[in-house]
Amino acid sequence: PFFVNRGGLPVDEPTWERMWRHVGRIHPEGDRVAQRIRGAADLPKIPIPSVPVFQPSTPIPERLEAVQRYIRELQYNHTGTQFFEIKKSRPLTGLMDLAKEMTKEALPIKCLEAVILGIYLTNNMTTLDRFPISFKTHFSGNYFRHIVLGVNFGGRYGALGISRREELMYKAPVFRTLSELIFDFEEAYRRCWHTLKKVKLGHCVSHDPHSVEQIEWKHSILDLDKLSREDFRKELERHARDMRLKIGKGTGPPSPTKDRKKDVSSPQRGQASPHRRNSRGDRRPSGEKKPPDPKAMPDLNGYQIRV
């Protein structure tokens, strides 16, 4: 396999075990092949992509291009086996530890892993806003899901990620509005004969790699079968305004305690627009998870102490 002995570095044993089990299932002589590869001493060393390092003067757009190049160099994982287990409910600090492991093992990744890696590699770009964008599409009787990391720099939107399709991953931060970015993805899907069904938008992710907060993956859930084209555009711009308002109340979300206080002290934000509740019936279940956050704070702090 192309990922064997990459750079000659040791790889986490559970990751390799999952890979060998998969080989044993799909190959007629899988176990024998796995043992022969593991025991080989003359396999060529495949170079490990270098994690990008930036000078303080490097512009943000150039940094984003370098991050995307690194993600692309890891290659898309076509094996059918996921090498890294990602639980969306994990605190951000745990996901960042997993991203660091990805850079060490340098194995192929899929779209969700690319989002976590994109967050990790842009944490020091404090003027850059990052938020998850999920897509659900329909093609030939089946539904497909994809996710990218939306970015906003200087009022311009773009995206980082990885996909089998070139047009469904990186988008330079040149789009004036969030709706322009999403419509560009929709057109890219159309060229692949996919019909966009749902878009899920998260809120901005903290730049603090030690934050014990969870990423808000689906603050807004937009069902295109229930929204007119104009309503869809309005909902996208409303979400963009929500993110600007949340960021505008501070310098960003580096502190989990401050963020929780902001969420608790501003319950009106989710109730300001009756039209918003009507047009996004699916959004409310995710919104109802916010009140328990203050109660869960002792447990999260305990987690932080253990880390």
Side-chain angles (χ1 to χ4, degrees), residues 78-257:
H78 294 277
T79 66
T81 298
Q82 184 135 2
F83 298 136
F84 305 97
E85 183 183 7
I86 297 180
K87 295 181 179 178
K88 289 184 175 180
S89 59
R90 288 187 69 182
L92 185 59
T93 179
L95 293 174
M96 293 302 95
D97 289 341
L98 184 58
K100 188 181 298 184
E101 181 185 344
M102 291 183 207
T103 62
K104 291 179 179 178
E105 297 192 2
L107 292 171
I109 58 176
K110 291 190 175 181
C111 58
L112 181 56
E113 294 156 304
V115 167
I116 301 302
L117 196 55
I119 293 172
Y120 173 74
L121 295 173
T122 57
N123 270 335
N124 61 348
M125 306 179 198
T126 54
T127 57
L128 182 74
D129 301 325
R130 299 90 44 84
F131 58 97
I133 307 174
S134 303
F135 303 97
K136 179 181 179 181
T137 61
H138 183 264
F139 170 72
S140 188
N142 296 308
Y143 289 95
F144 300 86
R145 289 168 175 81
H146 180 47
I147 187 169
V148 297
L149 181 66
V151 296
N152 181 1
F153 173 69
R156 301 282 173 159
Y157 291 87
L160 297 171
I162 197 167
S163 171
R164 295 179 180 90
R165 297 281 187 171
E166 184 73 23
E167 58 268 36
L168 295 175
M169 37 199 291
Y170 176 65
K171 304 286 184 183
V174 297
F175 297 91
R176 294 175 300 171
T177 63
L178 178 59
S179 58
E180 285 185 7
L181 173 65
I182 301 301
F183 291 159
D184 188 81
F185 271 106
E186 183 182 27
E187 178 58 29
Y189 270 119
R190 189 177 292 113
R191 292 194 296 269
C192 299
W193 305 99
H194 280 237
T195 302
L196 186 60
K197 290 294 185 180
K198 279 188 180 181
V199 176
K200 298 179 182 179
L201 302 160
H203 252 315
C204 291
V205 181
S206 170
H207 284 272
D208 180 6
H210 306 295
S211 171
V212 294
E213 286 190 326
Q214 295 177 356
I215 296 175
E216 190 172 1
W217 297 96
K218 47 183 181 180
H219 180 79
S220 302
I221 303 177
L222 309 182
D223 190 335
L224 274 70
D225 289 335
K226 298 179 181 179
L227 293 171
S228 67
R229 190 69 175 175
E230 182 61 20
D231 286 341
F232 181 43
R233 186 192 63 78
K234 288 180 179 178
E235 289 296 321
L236 290 171
E237 295 314 314
R238 184 171 284 123
H239 181 85
R241 286 197 299 272
D242 277 357
M243 289 194 293
R244 288 196 298 270
L245 287 173
K246 186 173 183 179
I247 296 168
K249 290 196 172 184
T251 57
S255 166
T257 305

